Amino acid sequence: MEASSFLCFCLVLLLGINAAGLSDQGVQHLPKRLFVFGDSAVDTGNTGKNSVQAWRPPYGSTFPGKPSGRFSDGRLLTDFIAAYLGMPSPTLYKARRVGGDRQRYGMNFAYSGTGVFDTVVMLPNLTTQIGFFEQLINGGTYRWSDLRSSMALVSASTNDYSFYLLRKGTLEGLNEFTGLVVNQTAVDLRRLSRLGVGKIAILGLFPFGCFPVIRQLLASAPSSCDDLFNRYSSQHNSLLRKAVDDINAELGRPSHVVMLDTYSAADSIMRHHNGLGPRFNDPLKPCCMGLNSSTACGSVDVQGKPLYTVCRSPASAFFWDLAHLTQAGSSAMFRYFLPTLQQFF
């Protein structure tokens, strides 16, 4: 057994996925390649080492034991879905020239901080990332048969709303902006479909008012999310769900595109847990925090002394930092999505 395959097998065991159940669901129909697009929720290291905190300790302390560009202590949803499909996490787009045989498992085009539209980071947005993918197809890296048996995982829009707020966008204008974001997302999903991708899964918007960074800015109560921002998240998801339904209806293929209900997953995990992983006793509190409002997880002073604290057990925390999940949090989200994915395949 190849080392990469063995690692995937071990991760499946760690996830607790029932191998017999997979065969019942028709494991032969699982996608053979995973193409990933979007932001830090799915970026496993494309973003440059000099530009993001995720390349500094304590990021990556759980997996792989050192910073790897993941905005977490360990694995992301990307890693868990790849393991479920029986493959290593797809090679990074920035490493495509040295990816070698791993390219056959797909590729990760995601960049942290990006959105459906341009954001403050000025890295490739969703449309541009899909453009990179199309160039590889046109260049012969992937064939039509490769694409038919593949899956695209898309995570976008969170940073669009963050950028909207940074630009001091008004709440009155948020309804119109939400429509623009969802409409462009639908354009991008249709493009992926036209390129021949067999299955497309897009993450819905996380309950925005529960992000520690938003609650910190709004000085929310420690044990509560902001209801107003959560309502706008729900509105985005309602429009996105309709867009997905419309795309499937146009194609006459009801299982071609699926929306993974990130909002309900996070709400269920934070409120009820439902056996999706460890019980997060204080789910809104991040594990890694700056010492004050001007520092963040990973910050150091001029002597390299950490200006942050890390909780004793990241495995018992849902949020890793002010805007990202722990490995345990991502694992719980994956477990929530698993029945949807099994039905999707």
Side-chain angles (χ1 to χ4, degrees), residues 111-158:
Y111 283 84
S112 299
T114 62
V116 174
F117 300 117
D118 288 339
T119 63
V120 67
V121 298
M122 296 305 292
L123 289 169
N125 64 24
L126 180 59
T127 301
T128 304
Q129 292 173 26
I130 297 173
F132 294 157
F133 180 43
E134 187 170 8
Q135 289 172 10
L136 292 180
I137 295 170
N138 293 337
T141 302
Y142 297 106
R143 300 168 298 179
W144 173 254
S145 58
D146 297 330
L147 301 177
R148 281 188 302 173
S149 59
S150 69
M151 169 186 171
L153 175 65
V154 181
S155 171
S157 75
T158 298

Side-chain angles (χ1 to χ4, degrees), residues 44 74 92 302:
T44 54
L92 298 169
V302 291

Side-chain angles (χ1 to χ4, degrees), residues 162 208 210-219 286 319 321-323:
S162 299
F208 210 72
C210 296
F211 278 125
V213 64
I214 296 296
R215 295 172 51 254
Q216 186 180 82
L217 289 172
L218 298 174
F319 283 102
D321 59 17
L322 291 178

Side-chain angles (χ1 to χ4, degrees), residues 32-268:
K32 296 179 175 61
R33 288 156 201 86
L34 177 61
F35 297 102
V36 183
F37 305 88
D39 52 29
S40 57
V42 293
D43 174 16
T44 54
N46 271 318
T47 310
K49 292 185 177 182
N50 296 325
S51 58
V52 294
Q53 301 283 93
W55 285 105
R56 307 175 190 171
Y59 289 87
S61 54
T62 299
F63 172 86
K66 62 181 180 180
S68 64
R70 290 171 172 83
F71 272 88
S72 178
D73 65 307
R75 296 174 179 86
L76 307 180
L77 184 62
T78 307
D79 302 294
F80 289 109
I81 290 180
Y84 168 62
L85 297 178
M87 64 181 71
S89 291
T91 191
L92 298 169
Y93 175 70
K94 74 171 185 180
R96 63 194 180 281
R97 292 185 176 86
V98 295
D101 188 53
R102 284 192 60 179
Q103 288 192 14
R104 67 189 173 99
Y105 297 113
M107 193 167 291
N108 189 325
F109 298 87
Y111 283 84
S112 299
T114 62
V116 174
F117 300 117
D118 288 339
T119 63
V120 67
V121 298
M122 296 305 292
L123 289 169
N125 64 24
L126 180 59
T127 301
T128 304
Q129 292 173 26
I130 297 173
F132 294 157
F133 180 43
E134 187 170 8
Q135 289 172 10
L136 292 180
I137 295 170
N138 293 337
T141 302
Y142 297 106
R143 300 168 298 179
W144 173 254
S145 58
D146 297 330
L147 301 177
R148 281 188 302 173
S149 59
S150 69
M151 169 186 171
L153 175 65
V154 181
S155 171
S157 75
T158 298
N159 293 311
D160 292 286
Y161 292 107
S162 299
F163 190 43
Y164 179 85
L165 295 174
L166 283 174
R167 291 183 300 166
K168 302 188 185 305
T170 64
L171 291 177
E172 292 77 13
L174 197 50
N175 287 330
E176 180 181 359
F177 183 70
T178 300
L180 294 173
V181 170
V182 172
N183 288 342
Q184 182 57 47
T185 303
V187 169
D188 290 325
L189 295 178
R190 286 185 173 92
R191 185 180 177 191
L192 282 172
S193 178
R194 287 196 302 271
L195 288 173
V197 177
K199 298 281 187 179
I200 304 170
I202 181 163
L203 297 179
L205 190 62
F206 195 91
F208 210 72
C210 296
F211 278 125
V213 64
I214 296 296
R215 295 172 51 254
Q216 186 180 82
L217 289 172
L218 298 174
S220 299
S223 60
S224 64
C225 301
D226 184 82
D227 290 337
L228 178 60
F229 279 102
N230 280 358
R231 284 201 297 273
Y232 280 110
S233 299
S234 294
Q235 179 180 332
H236 169 99
N237 290 332
S238 294
L239 292 174
L240 181 60
R241 187 174 289 105
K242 182 180 184 305
V244 166
D245 290 343
D246 288 345
I247 294 171
N248 285 327
E250 291 166 12
L251 297 170
R253 296 159 60 191
S255 63
H256 180 56
V257 185
V258 68
M259 174 180 151
L260 298 178
D261 193 349
T262 308
Y263 189 107
S264 294
D267 183 67
S268 177

